[in-house]
Amino acid sequence: RAPGRRPGRGARARAGRSGDPALSLSAARPLDPWRWLGLTTLQVMALTILFGAPLRFWGLPLPEPVFAMVPAFAWAVIRPSMIAPFALLALGLFMDLLWGSPLGLWALSLLVAYGAVLSGRNMLVGQSRPMMWAWFAAACAVAELAGFLFTRLDARASPSLIGLFWQFLATILLYPFAHRLIDRFEDADVRFR
């Protein structure tokens, strides 16, 4: 390259393929809120609608995992954002309307879990995948427990503990999607390293 010239787009792409993380495309490209927050929100809404459909396979209904726990966990781990809590609020209200739960139940439960993960974010950095899965399960337990307590306060009756357990189990199995989201966007914006 000529002295004084910056590397072009092709040079950065070749550097990214050669393994130089300082010049990789993901490190050079700023974090796009539409892909990071908007697209993920739409995907979670679509999956919630799909799994909320009254379909039965071999006489059993589809599980109803809390798909919104994936971004609630991943967004808190990736980096703090002012938009993420509002997106979680919208997802929670959407789930309340779709599932017929009291308005604000899932919105508040997701925000409690997001806040818990955000407060422990420094401990999560650099953890192994099994340990991150355990943290994800703990965040799911916080959200489920918050939902259980809010339901007790609102309806003065306990929801089914068996149903709660199956929903918790189905939700913690979603961790690979949270891991993929974290891997994809964690280093996308060099300003937050």
Side-chain angles (χ1 to χ4, degrees):
R1 123 183 126 103
R5 290 189 60 204
R6 292 176 37 205
R9 186 177 220 171
R12 282 195 302 262
R14 285 189 299 277
R17 282 192 299 260
S18 69
D20 184 3
L23 294 177
S24 72
L25 284 178
S26 66
R29 184 176 53 221
L31 192 60
D32 183 16
W34 167 247
R35 286 188 4 197
W36 179 53
L37 296 165
L39 189 60
T40 303
T41 300
L42 292 176
Q43 290 171 340
V44 166
M45 291 172 111
L47 287 169
T48 303
I49 290 171
L50 179 68
F51 277 72
L55 300 174
R56 291 190 168 273
F57 294 98
W58 300 284
L60 299 171
L62 291 174
E64 288 188 2
V66 183
F67 287 102
M69 275 305 301
V70 169
F73 182 79
W75 290 343
V77 170
I78 293 169
R79 73 175 172 114
S81 169
M82 291 179 60
I83 302 171
F86 292 106
L88 288 173
L89 179 70
L91 279 173
L93 293 174
F94 169 77
M95 289 168 47
D96 290 334
L97 292 173
L98 184 69
W99 289 347
S101 53
L103 199 59
L105 172 76
W106 279 109
L108 192 54
S109 299
L110 289 171
L111 288 173
V112 166
Y114 176 80
V117 174
L118 194 59
S119 66
R121 180 175 183 262
N122 291 336
M123 291 187 302
L124 298 175
V125 175
Q127 296 287 334
S128 66
R129 187 175 179 149
M131 196 64 206
M132 289 293 283
W133 203 325
W135 281 106
F136 180 73
C140 292
V142 166
E144 295 281 343
L145 180 63
F148 177 81
L149 294 175
F150 298 145
T151 302
R152 290 263 316 161
L153 290 172
D154 182 55
R156 291 176 177 62
S158 292
S160 166
L161 292 176
I162 295 172
L164 187 72
F165 171 75
W166 286 114
Q167 186 175 45
F168 170 75
L169 187 62
T171 304
I172 63 172
L173 293 177
L174 296 175
Y175 174 72
F177 299 106
H179 185 79
R180 183 171 181 259
L181 188 62
I182 291 167
D183 277 352
R184 185 169 182 191
F185 292 110
E186 187 175 36
D187 293 329
D189 196 339
V190 295
R191 295 175 297 170
F192 295 97
R193 284 190 185 166

